[in-house]
Amino acid sequence: MFSLRALVAVAVAISATLAAPTAETTVVRRLVDDLSHQLVDEPTALGRFNLLKADSNNFIFDFIKARDAATPGADGVVTLATAGNFPLAIGNGVAMGVGWMGPCGLNVPHWHPRASELLISIGGSLQFGTFQENGATFVTGTISDHQATIFPAGSLHYQQNLNCTAAQFFAAFNSEDPGRLDSAPGFFQQLPSDIDNAALGDIGVQEVKDIAAKIPKNVAWGVQECIDRCGLSRAGQWTPDAVAQAKRELDAFLKQGPINPKDFAGLPVVPSS
């Protein structure tokens, strides 16, 4: 039989062994111990509140500052307040986005894998389009100022400003981490080119790469009809007015009579290949 003294000694030895740090326990130790991680580790709402109340700024998200710090697309920018950049959202199951859309701006087709979205148009009208899943049909419509629509979680959707003035939208999500996947960059820039090529019926791997290189950053210029109607142009693209002016100048030049080599004196000479 073991004596009481021996049993106590064994228990103390086991306790010391369990308490001692090992290589495995140091590997999983949290590398970042900021407010967000503390909130994730806190199991109660009251505990999270007590962590947040140390600074009243923890209860405020500034969309203007977030917008100004973001890298915009060619025709606008979308900013999100989520668990990733707004600690107050952690544990509350909500997030919000604000979009600034220039004339003819397009919030490119995308989906949110972890949240449904309630979107309201402010200060203008927006055309929207959505496709929910295989077997469903594409739906499109227009929401005017202070009208709203819903995009179910995982549904492909976009918003297009078809006006020649700026527009804005607010979007609410039922997840603090809604996520976002833009369809064109996801397909053409992330998947292997040969897989894209096969999925598209063998249009050519190089053609896939050419498309991938031309995909714009969100918010992008929208449909050409709007750009022409509003007298705008994409980067490197001539406006209809500029094309018309160039034609008038060419016609005026040709009406001067036969072309004389002296008319081109001083212009750089392009060597023949």
PDB file of all heavy atoms in Angstrom, residues 187-188 193-212:
ATOM      1  N   PHE A 187     -13.049  34.716 -60.513  1.00  0.00           N
ATOM      2  CA  PHE A 187     -13.015  33.700 -61.573  1.00  0.00           C
ATOM      3  C   PHE A 187     -11.756  33.821 -62.422  1.00  0.00           C
ATOM      4  O   PHE A 187     -11.021  32.853 -62.622  1.00  0.00           O
ATOM      5  CB  PHE A 187     -14.255  33.822 -62.457  1.00  0.00           C
ATOM      6  CG  PHE A 187     -14.360  32.770 -63.525  1.00  0.00           C
ATOM      7  CD1 PHE A 187     -14.879  31.517 -63.228  1.00  0.00           C
ATOM      8  CD2 PHE A 187     -13.946  33.024 -64.821  1.00  0.00           C
ATOM      9  CE1 PHE A 187     -14.980  30.536 -64.208  1.00  0.00           C
ATOM     10  CE2 PHE A 187     -14.032  32.055 -65.807  1.00  0.00           C
ATOM     11  CZ  PHE A 187     -14.557  30.807 -65.504  1.00  0.00           C
ATOM     12  N   PHE A 188     -11.486  35.025 -62.934  1.00  0.00           N
ATOM     13  CA  PHE A 188     -10.413  35.185 -63.916  1.00  0.00           C
ATOM     14  C   PHE A 188      -9.025  35.377 -63.303  1.00  0.00           C
ATOM     15  O   PHE A 188      -8.026  35.049 -63.933  1.00  0.00           O
ATOM     16  CB  PHE A 188     -10.720  36.376 -64.830  1.00  0.00           C
ATOM     17  CG  PHE A 188     -11.800  36.100 -65.828  1.00  0.00           C
ATOM     18  CD1 PHE A 188     -13.092  36.546 -65.617  1.00  0.00           C
ATOM     19  CD2 PHE A 188     -11.544  35.386 -66.981  1.00  0.00           C
ATOM     20  CE1 PHE A 188     -14.102  36.292 -66.525  1.00  0.00           C
ATOM     21  CE2 PHE A 188     -12.539  35.120 -67.905  1.00  0.00           C
ATOM     22  CZ  PHE A 188     -13.832  35.568 -67.679  1.00  0.00           C
ATOM     23  N   SER A 193      -5.771  29.571 -65.079  1.00  0.00           N
ATOM     24  CA  SER A 193      -6.257  29.987 -66.407  1.00  0.00           C
ATOM     25  C   SER A 193      -6.758  28.809 -67.232  1.00  0.00           C
ATOM     26  O   SER A 193      -7.717  28.939 -67.997  1.00  0.00           O
ATOM     27  CB  SER A 193      -5.148  30.721 -67.166  1.00  0.00           C
ATOM     28  OG  SER A 193      -4.767  31.886 -66.491  1.00  0.00           O
ATOM     29  N   ASP A 194      -6.125  27.644 -67.085  1.00  0.00           N
ATOM     30  CA  ASP A 194      -6.565  26.496 -67.877  1.00  0.00           C
ATOM     31  C   ASP A 194      -7.910  25.959 -67.394  1.00  0.00           C
ATOM     32  O   ASP A 194      -8.710  25.442 -68.184  1.00  0.00           O
ATOM     33  CB  ASP A 194      -5.510  25.397 -67.884  1.00  0.00           C
ATOM     34  CG  ASP A 194      -5.124  24.930 -66.484  1.00  0.00           C
ATOM     35  OD1 ASP A 194      -5.458  25.630 -65.507  1.00  0.00           O
ATOM     36  OD2 ASP A 194      -4.472  23.866 -66.371  1.00  0.00           O
ATOM     37  N   ILE A 195      -8.183  26.116 -66.088  1.00  0.00           N
ATOM     38  CA  ILE A 195      -9.493  25.730 -65.570  1.00  0.00           C
ATOM     39  C   ILE A 195     -10.561  26.691 -66.090  1.00  0.00           C
ATOM     40  O   ILE A 195     -11.647  26.276 -66.523  1.00  0.00           O
ATOM     41  CB  ILE A 195      -9.491  25.715 -64.031  1.00  0.00           C
ATOM     42  CG1 ILE A 195      -8.509  24.657 -63.508  1.00  0.00           C
ATOM     43  CG2 ILE A 195     -10.888  25.472 -63.482  1.00  0.00           C
ATOM     44  CD1 ILE A 195      -8.851  23.246 -63.910  1.00  0.00           C
ATOM     45  N   ASP A 196     -10.283  27.989 -66.048  1.00  0.00           N
ATOM     46  CA  ASP A 196     -11.208  28.978 -66.609  1.00  0.00           C
ATOM     47  C   ASP A 196     -11.464  28.679 -68.078  1.00  0.00           C
ATOM     48  O   ASP A 196     -12.609  28.724 -68.553  1.00  0.00           O
ATOM     49  CB  ASP A 196     -10.635  30.389 -66.472  1.00  0.00           C
ATOM     50  CG  ASP A 196     -10.635  30.876 -65.030  1.00  0.00           C
ATOM     51  OD1 ASP A 196     -11.376  30.298 -64.212  1.00  0.00           O
ATOM     52  OD2 ASP A 196      -9.904  31.827 -64.735  1.00  0.00           O
ATOM     53  N   ASN A 197     -10.398  28.401 -68.807  1.00  0.00           N
ATOM     54  CA  ASN A 197     -10.524  28.132 -70.237  1.00  0.00           C
ATOM     55  C   ASN A 197     -11.428  26.941 -70.487  1.00  0.00           C
ATOM     56  O   ASN A 197     -12.310  26.983 -71.363  1.00  0.00           O
ATOM     57  CB  ASN A 197      -9.133  27.879 -70.826  1.00  0.00           C
ATOM     58  CG  ASN A 197      -9.197  27.488 -72.287  1.00  0.00           C
ATOM     59  OD1 ASN A 197      -9.787  28.186 -73.099  1.00  0.00           O
ATOM     60  ND2 ASN A 197      -8.591  26.358 -72.631  1.00  0.00           N
ATOM     61  N   ALA A 198     -11.254  25.873 -69.713  1.00  0.00           N
ATOM     62  CA  ALA A 198     -12.103  24.693 -69.887  1.00  0.00           C
ATOM     63  C   ALA A 198     -13.547  25.006 -69.538  1.00  0.00           C
ATOM     64  O   ALA A 198     -14.479  24.568 -70.224  1.00  0.00           O
ATOM     65  CB  ALA A 198     -11.577  23.547 -69.018  1.00  0.00           C
ATOM     66  N   ALA A 199     -13.763  25.778 -68.474  1.00  0.00           N
ATOM     67  CA  ALA A 199     -15.125  26.110 -68.051  1.00  0.00           C
ATOM     68  C   ALA A 199     -15.820  26.995 -69.072  1.00  0.00           C
ATOM     69  O   ALA A 199     -17.058  27.004 -69.156  1.00  0.00           O
ATOM     70  CB  ALA A 199     -15.094  26.810 -66.697  1.00  0.00           C
ATOM     71  N   LEU A 200     -15.049  27.751 -69.848  1.00  0.00           N
ATOM     72  CA  LEU A 200     -15.619  28.662 -70.838  1.00  0.00           C
ATOM     73  C   LEU A 200     -15.680  28.047 -72.236  1.00  0.00           C
ATOM     74  O   LEU A 200     -15.915  28.757 -73.214  1.00  0.00           O
ATOM     75  CB  LEU A 200     -14.804  29.964 -70.878  1.00  0.00           C
ATOM     76  CG  LEU A 200     -14.884  30.812 -69.599  1.00  0.00           C
ATOM     77  CD1 LEU A 200     -13.879  31.961 -69.661  1.00  0.00           C
ATOM     78  CD2 LEU A 200     -16.290  31.354 -69.400  1.00  0.00           C
ATOM     79  N   GLY A 201     -15.457  26.755 -72.340  1.00  0.00           N
ATOM     80  CA  GLY A 201     -15.587  26.102 -73.643  1.00  0.00           C
ATOM     81  C   GLY A 201     -14.371  26.247 -74.517  1.00  0.00           C
ATOM     82  O   GLY A 201     -14.489  26.285 -75.744  1.00  0.00           O
ATOM     83  N   ASP A 202     -13.185  26.353 -73.906  1.00  0.00           N
ATOM     84  CA  ASP A 202     -11.925  26.411 -74.645  1.00  0.00           C
ATOM     85  C   ASP A 202     -11.836  27.657 -75.532  1.00  0.00           C
ATOM     86  O   ASP A 202     -11.584  27.576 -76.733  1.00  0.00           O
ATOM     87  CB  ASP A 202     -11.740  25.141 -75.495  1.00  0.00           C
ATOM     88  CG  ASP A 202     -10.314  25.002 -76.010  1.00  0.00           C
ATOM     89  OD1 ASP A 202      -9.391  25.539 -75.360  1.00  0.00           O
ATOM     90  OD2 ASP A 202     -10.132  24.374 -77.070  1.00  0.00           O
ATOM     91  N   ILE A 203     -11.999  28.829 -74.908  1.00  0.00           N
ATOM     92  CA  ILE A 203     -11.841  30.079 -75.666  1.00  0.00           C
ATOM     93  C   ILE A 203     -10.370  30.430 -75.846  1.00  0.00           C
ATOM     94  O   ILE A 203     -10.026  31.304 -76.659  1.00  0.00           O
ATOM     95  CB  ILE A 203     -12.546  31.263 -74.969  1.00  0.00           C
ATOM     96  CG1 ILE A 203     -11.876  31.592 -73.617  1.00  0.00           C
ATOM     97  CG2 ILE A 203     -14.026  30.976 -74.780  1.00  0.00           C
ATOM     98  CD1 ILE A 203     -12.391  32.859 -72.986  1.00  0.00           C
ATOM     99  N   GLY A 204      -9.492  29.761 -75.097  1.00  0.00           N
ATOM    100  CA  GLY A 204      -8.063  30.011 -75.196  1.00  0.00           C
ATOM    101  C   GLY A 204      -7.506  30.510 -73.871  1.00  0.00           C
ATOM    102  O   GLY A 204      -8.046  31.450 -73.284  1.00  0.00           O
ATOM    103  N   VAL A 205      -6.412  29.895 -73.420  1.00  0.00           N
ATOM    104  CA  VAL A 205      -5.815  30.297 -72.154  1.00  0.00           C
ATOM    105  C   VAL A 205      -5.323  31.732 -72.208  1.00  0.00           C
ATOM    106  O   VAL A 205      -5.488  32.493 -71.252  1.00  0.00           O
ATOM    107  CB  VAL A 205      -4.662  29.332 -71.779  1.00  0.00           C
ATOM    108  CG1 VAL A 205      -3.884  29.858 -70.570  1.00  0.00           C
ATOM    109  CG2 VAL A 205      -5.199  27.937 -71.493  1.00  0.00           C
ATOM    110  N   GLN A 206      -4.720  32.132 -73.321  1.00  0.00           N
ATOM    111  CA  GLN A 206      -4.231  33.509 -73.440  1.00  0.00           C
ATOM    112  C   GLN A 206      -5.382  34.497 -73.401  1.00  0.00           C
ATOM    113  O   GLN A 206      -5.257  35.591 -72.833  1.00  0.00           O
ATOM    114  CB  GLN A 206      -3.430  33.685 -74.731  1.00  0.00           C
ATOM    115  CG  GLN A 206      -2.751  35.046 -74.837  1.00  0.00           C
ATOM    116  CD  GLN A 206      -1.831  35.332 -73.677  1.00  0.00           C
ATOM    117  OE1 GLN A 206      -0.978  34.501 -73.326  1.00  0.00           O
ATOM    118  NE2 GLN A 206      -1.991  36.491 -73.050  1.00  0.00           N
ATOM    119  N   GLU A 207      -6.511  34.136 -74.029  1.00  0.00           N
ATOM    120  CA  GLU A 207      -7.678  35.018 -73.991  1.00  0.00           C
ATOM    121  C   GLU A 207      -8.157  35.203 -72.554  1.00  0.00           C
ATOM    122  O   GLU A 207      -8.558  36.300 -72.148  1.00  0.00           O
ATOM    123  CB  GLU A 207      -8.806  34.438 -74.843  1.00  0.00           C
ATOM    124  CG  GLU A 207      -8.636  34.617 -76.343  1.00  0.00           C
ATOM    125  CD  GLU A 207      -7.537  33.744 -76.934  1.00  0.00           C
ATOM    126  OE1 GLU A 207      -7.052  32.833 -76.222  1.00  0.00           O
ATOM    127  OE2 GLU A 207      -7.160  33.976 -78.103  1.00  0.00           O
ATOM    128  N   VAL A 208      -8.120  34.130 -71.759  1.00  0.00           N
ATOM    129  CA  VAL A 208      -8.489  34.229 -70.347  1.00  0.00           C
ATOM    130  C   VAL A 208      -7.550  35.182 -69.626  1.00  0.00           C
ATOM    131  O   VAL A 208      -7.983  36.038 -68.842  1.00  0.00           O
ATOM    132  CB  VAL A 208      -8.460  32.836 -69.677  1.00  0.00           C
ATOM    133  CG1 VAL A 208      -8.607  32.968 -68.164  1.00  0.00           C
ATOM    134  CG2 VAL A 208      -9.565  31.949 -70.237  1.00  0.00           C
ATOM    135  N   LYS A 209      -6.261  35.070 -69.878  1.00  0.00           N
ATOM    136  CA  LYS A 209      -5.281  35.951 -69.238  1.00  0.00           C
ATOM    137  C   LYS A 209      -5.473  37.400 -69.664  1.00  0.00           C
ATOM    138  O   LYS A 209      -5.296  38.330 -68.865  1.00  0.00           O
ATOM    139  CB  LYS A 209      -3.865  35.482 -69.566  1.00  0.00           C
ATOM    140  CG  LYS A 209      -3.512  34.139 -68.955  1.00  0.00           C
ATOM    141  CD  LYS A 209      -2.095  33.720 -69.314  1.00  0.00           C
ATOM    142  CE  LYS A 209      -1.721  32.395 -68.666  1.00  0.00           C
ATOM    143  NZ  LYS A 209      -0.347  31.968 -69.019  1.00  0.00           N
ATOM    144  N   ASP A 210      -5.836  37.609 -70.929  1.00  0.00           N
ATOM    145  CA  ASP A 210      -6.075  38.974 -71.420  1.00  0.00           C
ATOM    146  C   ASP A 210      -7.269  39.604 -70.706  1.00  0.00           C
ATOM    147  O   ASP A 210      -7.238  40.788 -70.344  1.00  0.00           O
ATOM    148  CB  ASP A 210      -6.325  38.963 -72.932  1.00  0.00           C
ATOM    149  CG  ASP A 210      -5.070  38.610 -73.730  1.00  0.00           C
ATOM    150  OD1 ASP A 210      -3.969  38.698 -73.157  1.00  0.00           O
ATOM    151  OD2 ASP A 210      -5.215  38.230 -74.908  1.00  0.00           O
ATOM    152  N   ILE A 211      -8.325  38.809 -70.509  1.00  0.00           N
ATOM    153  CA  ILE A 211      -9.489  39.311 -69.786  1.00  0.00           C
ATOM    154  C   ILE A 211      -9.121  39.637 -68.349  1.00  0.00           C
ATOM    155  O   ILE A 211      -9.487  40.681 -67.807  1.00  0.00           O
ATOM    156  CB  ILE A 211     -10.639  38.277 -69.826  1.00  0.00           C
ATOM    157  CG1 ILE A 211     -11.152  38.115 -71.261  1.00  0.00           C
ATOM    158  CG2 ILE A 211     -11.775  38.703 -68.894  1.00  0.00           C
ATOM    159  CD1 ILE A 211     -12.163  36.993 -71.417  1.00  0.00           C
ATOM    160  N   ALA A 212      -8.362  38.741 -67.706  1.00  0.00           N
ATOM    161  CA  ALA A 212      -7.973  38.936 -66.311  1.00  0.00           C
ATOM    162  C   ALA A 212      -7.211  40.240 -66.130  1.00  0.00           C
ATOM    163  O   ALA A 212      -7.366  40.933 -65.113  1.00  0.00           O
ATOM    164  CB  ALA A 212      -7.142  37.760 -65.837  1.00  0.00           C
TER     165      ALA A 212
END
